[in-house]
Amino acid sequence: MTTTRRALLGAAGIAAAGQAAAQSFPFTPNQRYPDPAIQILDPSFAKYRLYSSTVEQLATGFRWAEGPVWFPDDGGYLLFSDIPNNRIMKYSEKDGTCTVFRHPANFANGNARDRQGRLVTCEHSVTRRVTRTEKDGSVTVLADKFEGKRLNAPNDIVVKSDSSIWFTDPTFGIAGEWEGSRATPEQPTTNVYRLTPDGQLTAVITDLALPNGLAFSPDEKKLYVVGRNPAPARSIFAYDVGPDGTLSNRVKLIDATDSAALDGFRVDRDGNLWVGYGSDGNLEAEPTRTGNRSVYNLRGKPEELDGVTVFSPQGKPLAHIRLPERCANLCFGGPKGNRLYMTASHSLYALYVEAHGAV
């Protein structure tokens, strides 16, 4: 197998930056058009598929890639997190290089761009806070406590058109030593928060187990959140958003019924949800005999689940974009806003589509 020129440039850029890396995986794009990695589950998705576009690997050599966000400045670049390596990476559309943007990064996870074009980040562990990177490079702390107690592990983040910042706060970053440092949670629940421009922090959801990815509908009248109610399956819940930012009328919109884990996601201008997808890691109830061993296999096959699944606003599966690695998160960007960037375990992938992000 061979790897792409851009992936080689990305790996070289990481090595030149002198930071710890991980395994780099070769990737061969599909030669045929249309790309068979794009599986259409409903004919209505055909209008979003570009016939002569294929999945590309842009960079590799990460341990757990997450939180991509697009910036149109300076020819366009993507920032994303490599959580166990405690760094934020920068992929340049101008020259195809991938370099270290920030290290250490307090085990940054989710990232977003605010309405003034600044980076806002969920620092997933150690500091356990939400920060904003100013235009001069300085860092402003936006939130690190709620009701006098430290946040758990800020995870994913979105910015509404009124400049309010919404983020999830599960415990993944303090649950062990892989995505940060183990610590005891101080919050009694795992919440979704709303931070107003004047600095008021409100817990808008307090009864959702381990909330994860979140996004607004194009008209911002609905908020979608990944959660585990009941555990261990992940679902996407839809909430009505009131003019004052309060939420009501929770409805389960999408359920991971095929042993998959729903993760970070984005919504396009038509209201479709593009969702990071992969195995949930849960085991079969009974072992399978393999040679002289009894092995508890995964309930779902990662090679069939890994990638991005697209759902309609009504929760109907429309398509699956197959990747060779589990996709944790994604975003729209690129020069025309129609490039889907996918952070998938060890690598960054991209695909041009006939869709644009709602935000």
Side-chain angles (χ1 to χ4, degrees):
M1 297 177 71
T2 59
T3 189
T4 64
R5 176 179 176 273
R6 283 193 168 183
L8 285 170
L9 285 170
I14 295 167
Q19 304 296 344
Q23 295 91 341
S24 297
F25 288 99
F27 175 75
T28 302
N30 282 302
Q31 185 174 354
R32 298 186 184 279
Y33 287 148
D35 190 340
I38 304 165
Q39 301 175 320
I40 294 180
L41 309 179
D42 186 275
S44 63
F45 183 80
K47 65 181 180 180
Y48 299 109
R49 182 195 66 180
L50 278 169
Y51 180 89
S52 53
S53 173
T54 189
V55 174
E56 304 170 64
Q57 185 193 64
L58 303 182
T60 186
F62 316 110
R63 288 204 166 93
W64 183 240
E66 254 279 12
V69 57
W70 170 257
F71 286 83
D73 316 279
D74 302 324
Y77 60 88
L78 186 84
L79 297 180
F80 63 98
S81 300
D82 182 10
I83 302 176
N85 280 327
N86 194 16
R87 59 189 183 173
I88 296 175
M89 307 302 300
K90 179 180 180 180
Y91 172 78
S92 170
E93 269 289 347
K94 184 187 300 184
D95 57 20
T97 58
C98 188
T99 55
V100 176
F101 173 79
R102 177 175 296 161
H103 179 275
N106 299 315
F107 299 94
N109 190 333
N111 298 286
R113 189 178 71 248
D114 73 6
R115 298 293 164 156
Q116 289 73 46
R118 299 169 295 188
L119 172 68
V120 289
T121 298
C122 288
E123 296 184 359
H124 196 44
S125 192
V126 183
T127 50
R128 294 152 61 179
R129 63 190 187 181
V130 175
T131 62
R132 182 179 66 222
T133 301
E134 309 296 346
K135 294 291 187 177
D136 63 2
S138 62
V139 175
T140 300
V141 178
L142 301 179
D144 60 358
K145 292 183 176 65
F146 178 66
E147 295 183 341
K149 299 178 180 179
R150 297 187 69 186
L151 299 174
N152 293 321
N155 185 281
D156 209 349
I157 188 166
V158 292
V159 181
K160 200 166 176 280
S161 62
D162 63 1
S163 291
S164 59
I165 296 171
W166 302 59
F167 65 94
T168 55
D169 190 37
T171 54
F172 302 130
I174 59 173
E177 304 295 343
W178 179 241
E179 295 187 28
S181 297
R182 189 186 302 274
T184 301
E186 297 182 20
Q187 296 296 330
T189 52
T190 55
N191 304 329
V192 177
Y193 291 100
R194 174 178 180 256
L195 179 66
T196 59
D198 63 1
Q200 181 180 352
L201 186 65
T202 304
V204 291
I205 301 175
T206 60
D207 59 352
L208 193 60
L210 299 174
N212 197 323
L214 76 170
F216 286 100
S217 61
D219 61 6
E220 298 185 333
K221 292 183 178 180
K222 288 191 179 295
L223 175 70
Y224 304 111
V225 185
V226 171
R228 295 181 178 180
N229 279 38
R234 291 186 184 182
S235 304
I236 293 182
F237 297 89
Y239 298 80
D240 291 338
V241 182
D244 59 353
T246 56
L247 304 179
S248 61
N249 301 326
R250 183 172 82 183
V251 174
K252 183 185 287 188
L253 181 69
I254 298 166
D255 208 356
T257 57
D258 53 0
S259 302
L262 309 173
D263 212 322
F265 65 99
R266 293 293 187 272
V267 178
D268 67 25
R269 292 176 184 173
D270 290 339
N272 302 306
L273 288 76
W274 300 62
V275 185
Y277 221 70
S279 169
D280 61 11
N282 291 317
L283 304 177
E284 296 280 5
E286 299 295 331
T288 299
R289 197 70 182 173
T290 303
N292 61 353
R293 295 187 178 93
S294 292
V295 179
Y296 285 87
N297 294 314
L298 294 172
R299 289 192 308 177
K301 296 180 179 180
E303 62 271 21
E304 296 178 359
L305 298 172
D306 287 348
V308 172
T309 300
V310 185
F311 297 88
S312 73
Q314 294 75 39
K316 182 179 182 179
L318 302 181
H320 182 70
I321 302 168
R322 297 187 68 169
L323 297 176
E325 305 177 63
R326 185 189 188 282
C327 182
N329 215 327
L330 52 97
C331 75
F332 290 93
K336 296 182 179 180
N338 66 332
R339 199 173 201 196
L340 182 69
Y341 295 96
M342 298 163 282
T343 48
S345 302
H346 301 278
S347 305
L348 172 67
Y349 296 91
L351 173 69
Y352 285 102
V353 294
E354 285 285 10
H356 297 76
V359 177

